[in-house]
Coordinates of all heavy atoms in Angstrom, one line a residue:
P1645 N 5.7 -10.1 6.2 CA 5.7 -11.5 6.7 C 5.9 -12.6 5.7 O 6.0 -13.7 6.0 CB 4.3 -11.6 7.3 CG 3.4 -10.7 6.4 CD 4.3 -9.5 6.0
G1646 N 5.9 -12.2 4.4 CA 6.0 -13.2 3.4 C 4.7 -13.9 3.0 O 3.7 -13.6 3.6
P1647 N 4.8 -14.9 2.1 CA 3.6 -15.6 1.7 C 3.0 -16.4 2.9 O 3.7 -16.6 3.9 CB 4.1 -16.6 0.7 CG 5.3 -16.0 0.1 CD 6.0 -15.2 1.2
A1648 N 1.8 -16.7 2.9 CA 1.1 -17.4 4.0 C 1.8 -18.7 4.3 O 2.0 -19.1 5.5 CB -0.4 -17.6 3.7
C1649 N 2.3 -19.4 3.3 CA 2.9 -20.7 3.5 C 4.2 -20.6 4.2 O 4.8 -21.6 4.7 CB 3.0 -21.5 2.2 SG 4.1 -20.7 1.0
Y1650 N 4.8 -19.4 4.4 CA 6.1 -19.3 5.1 C 5.9 -19.4 6.6 O 6.8 -19.6 7.3 CB 6.7 -17.9 4.8 CG 7.5 -17.9 3.5 CD1 7.3 -18.8 2.5 CD2 8.4 -16.9 3.2 CE1 8.0 -18.8 1.3 CE2 9.1 -16.8 2.0 CZ 8.9 -17.8 1.1 OH 9.6 -17.7 -0.1
G1651 N 4.6 -19.3 7.1 CA 4.4 -19.4 8.5 C 4.9 -18.3 9.3 O 5.2 -18.5 10.5
K1652 N 5.0 -17.1 8.7 CA 5.6 -16.0 9.5 C 4.6 -14.9 9.8 O 4.9 -13.7 9.9 CB 6.8 -15.4 8.8 CG 8.0 -16.3 8.7 CD 9.2 -15.7 8.1 CE 10.4 -16.6 8.1 NZ 11.6 -15.9 7.6
G1653 N 3.3 -15.3 9.7 CA 2.3 -14.3 10.0 C 1.5 -13.8 8.8 O 0.5 -13.1 9.0
G1654 N 1.9 -14.2 7.6 CA 1.2 -13.8 6.4 C -0.1 -14.5 6.3 O -0.2 -15.7 6.5
T1655 N -1.1 -13.8 5.8 CA -2.5 -14.5 5.7 C -3.0 -14.2 4.3 O -4.0 -14.9 3.9 CB -3.5 -13.9 6.7 OG1 -3.6 -12.5 6.6 CG2 -3.0 -14.3 8.1
Q1656 N -2.4 -13.3 3.5 CA -3.0 -13.0 2.2 C -2.4 -14.0 1.1 O -1.3 -14.4 1.2 CB -2.6 -11.6 1.8 CG -3.3 -10.5 2.7 CD -2.9 -9.1 2.3 OE1 -1.7 -8.7 2.5 NE2 -3.8 -8.4 1.8
P1657 N -3.2 -14.4 0.1 CA -2.8 -15.3 -0.9 C -1.8 -14.7 -1.8 O -1.9 -13.6 -2.3 CB -4.1 -15.7 -1.6 CG -4.9 -14.5 -1.5 CD -4.6 -13.9 -0.1
T1658 N -0.7 -15.5 -2.1 CA 0.3 -15.0 -3.0 C 0.6 -16.0 -4.1 O 0.1 -17.1 -4.1 CB 1.7 -14.8 -2.2 OG1 2.2 -16.0 -1.8 CG2 1.4 -13.8 -1.0
V1659 N 1.4 -15.6 -5.0 CA 1.8 -16.5 -6.1 C 2.5 -17.8 -5.6 O 2.3 -18.9 -6.1 CB 2.7 -15.8 -7.1 CG1 3.3 -16.7 -8.2 CG2 1.9 -14.6 -7.8
T1660 N 3.4 -17.6 -4.6 CA 4.1 -18.7 -4.0 C 3.1 -19.7 -3.4 O 3.2 -20.9 -3.5 CB 5.1 -18.2 -2.9 OG1 6.1 -17.4 -3.5 CG2 5.7 -19.4 -2.2
D1661 N 2.1 -19.2 -2.7 CA 1.0 -20.1 -2.1 C 0.3 -20.9 -3.2 O 0.1 -22.1 -3.1 CB 0.0 -19.2 -1.3 CG 0.6 -18.6 -0.1 OD1 1.3 -19.2 0.6 OD2 0.4 -17.3 0.0
A1662 N 0.1 -20.2 -4.4 CA -0.6 -20.9 -5.5 C 0.3 -22.0 -6.0 O -0.2 -23.1 -6.3 CB -0.9 -19.9 -6.6
N1663 N 1.6 -21.7 -6.2 CA 2.5 -22.8 -6.7 C 2.6 -23.9 -5.7 O 2.7 -25.1 -6.2 CB 3.9 -22.2 -6.9 CG 4.0 -21.5 -8.3 OD1 3.6 -22.0 -9.3 ND2 4.5 -20.3 -8.3
L1664 N 2.6 -23.7 -4.4 CA 2.6 -24.8 -3.5 C 1.3 -25.6 -3.6 O 1.4 -26.9 -3.6 CB 2.8 -24.2 -2.1 CG 2.8 -25.3 -0.9 CD1 4.0 -26.2 -1.1 CD2 2.9 -24.6 0.5
V1665 N 0.2 -25.0 -3.6 CA -1.1 -25.7 -3.7 C -1.1 -26.6 -5.0 O -1.7 -27.7 -5.0 CB -2.2 -24.7 -3.6 CG1 -3.6 -25.4 -4.1 CG2 -2.4 -24.1 -2.2
L1666 N -0.6 -26.1 -6.1 CA -0.6 -26.8 -7.3 C 0.5 -27.9 -7.4 O 0.6 -28.6 -8.4 CB -0.4 -25.8 -8.5 CG -1.5 -24.8 -8.7 CD1 -1.2 -23.8 -9.8 CD2 -2.8 -25.5 -9.1
G1667 N 1.3 -28.0 -6.4 CA 2.3 -29.1 -6.3 C 3.5 -28.8 -7.2 O 4.3 -29.7 -7.4
R1668 N 3.7 -27.5 -7.5 CA 4.8 -27.2 -8.4 C 6.1 -26.7 -7.5 O 7.1 -26.5 -8.1 CB 4.4 -26.0 -9.3 CG 3.3 -26.4 -10.2 CD 2.8 -25.3 -11.1 NE 1.6 -25.6 -11.9 CZ 1.0 -24.9 -12.7 NH1 1.6 -23.7 -13.0 NH2 -0.1 -25.3 -13.4
L1669 N 5.9 -26.6 -6.2 CA 6.9 -26.1 -5.4 C 7.3 -27.1 -4.3 O 6.4 -27.8 -3.7 CB 6.4 -24.8 -4.7 CG 7.4 -23.9 -4.0 CD1 8.5 -23.4 -4.9 CD2 6.7 -22.7 -3.3

Side-chain angles (χ1 to χ4, degrees):
C1649 63
Y1650 278 18
K1652 295 187 175 184
T1655 59
Q1656 294 177 292
T1658 68
V1659 172
T1660 296
D1661 295 312
N1663 276 312
L1664 179 63
V1665 166
L1666 294 173
R1668 302 177 186 182
L1669 194 60

